[in-house]
Amino acid sequence: MEDLENVVEAVLFALGREIPVDELAKTLEIEEKYIIQALDHIKEKYNESNGVELVEVRGMYQLVTNHKYYKEVNKFVENTKRQNLSTSALETLSIIAYNPKITKTEIENIRGVNSDFAVGRLLECGLIEEVARLNLPGRPAAYSVTSEFFKCCGIKDLDELPNFENIRIKDEQLLVSDFENDKKEE
């Protein structure tokens, strides 16, 4: 029973979401009554004096922050929120998405500026990764987007990216658009 409690606790912690009893029972191939017993023991373990508690809502269980400590935890979360990506990082990310296995030098040739910071930021955020070292002088790293990129964009693979040719703004379109905006302002 102790092993079952530890497994259920680990699953609740790892998933961080509400989990129905029947899902736990089915996935772990254990009768629901044993899952419920394990959950009851876990709930006792995380009593009101702990920083974490086990809550039940409509037959689903989740490990959450004890409401007593919400204010303090929220301060920490607010201070550590991820910053939005800069325009240069987004530009660099787009280049990498449309050109898998691209080197930093190639990115800089496309952008026309140094991309050290943008590449570093994207690596830090887990949106790109080094996928190879090319057999060229200096053995430069080649970068591609990660599964985190796909999750953030809500796509399954690179084939779902918009066709680059269809999203390119022609110089004539840009000039006409600027001209029309100037006319409206007058």
Side-chain angles (χ1 to χ4, degrees):
M1 189 61 168
E2 188 177 323
D3 279 347
L4 178 59
E5 286 176 34
N6 290 335
V7 168
V8 170
E9 181 180 22
V11 169
L12 289 166
F13 175 79
L15 292 182
R17 65 170 171 86
E18 297 172 335
I19 305 172
V21 173
D22 62 337
E23 181 181 343
L24 284 166
K26 182 180 176 185
T27 305
L28 297 175
E29 299 175 350
I30 304 283
E31 288 183 50
E32 282 189 28
K33 67 180 182 181
Y34 297 119
I35 297 292
I36 292 169
Q37 286 176 2
L39 289 164
D40 287 342
H41 287 125
I42 294 168
K43 198 168 195 172
E44 288 173 20
K45 177 179 165 182
Y46 289 107
N47 60 34
E48 290 191 27
S49 65
N50 288 312
V52 176
E53 62 183 322
L54 179 64
V55 296
E56 177 191 1
V57 178
R58 294 190 294 222
M60 295 188 285
Y61 291 82
Q62 183 176 10
L63 284 174
V64 299
T65 302
N66 186 321
H67 65 280
K68 287 183 190 177
Y69 308 110
Y70 174 80
K71 190 175 181 180
E72 291 80 6
V73 172
N74 193 47
K75 285 180 192 176
F76 180 78
V77 171
E78 288 298 318
N79 288 334
T80 58
K81 277 187 177 175
R82 282 188 184 173
Q83 295 177 356
N84 292 334
L85 292 176
S86 66
T87 303
S88 63
L90 288 171
E91 185 178 282
T92 302
L93 183 59
S94 298
I95 291 168
I96 295 168
Y98 280 97
N99 300 281
K101 294 188 180 176
I102 189 170
T103 66
K104 194 163 62 63
T105 302
E106 292 169 321
I107 294 167
E108 291 170 349
N109 286 338
I110 293 169
R111 292 189 65 228
V113 295
N114 183 299
S115 298
D116 288 343
F117 181 79
V119 169
R121 180 78 173 117
L122 294 170
L123 285 166
E124 179 184 295
C125 292
L127 296 171
I128 65 169
E129 64 186 345
E130 184 180 313
V131 292
R133 286 284 177 168
L134 302 182
N135 198 13
L136 297 170
R139 307 240 335 128
Y143 300 98
S144 288
V145 293
T146 63
S147 57
E148 185 65 24
F149 166 83
F150 293 114
K151 284 187 233 172
C152 290
C153 293
I155 60 176
K156 294 177 192 160
D157 57 41
L158 293 176
D159 293 335
E160 292 186 44
L161 286 175
N163 181 338
F164 187 73
E165 294 301 318
N166 293 339
I167 61 174
R168 186 178 302 173
I169 297 175
K170 308 269 188 284
D171 288 338
E172 306 85 51
Q173 289 174 312
L174 189 58
L175 290 173
V176 169
S177 176
D178 287 344
F179 177 75
E180 288 173 355
N181 287 337
D182 289 343
K183 286 287 222 184
K184 287 180 185 175
E185 289 176 4
E186 291 176 359

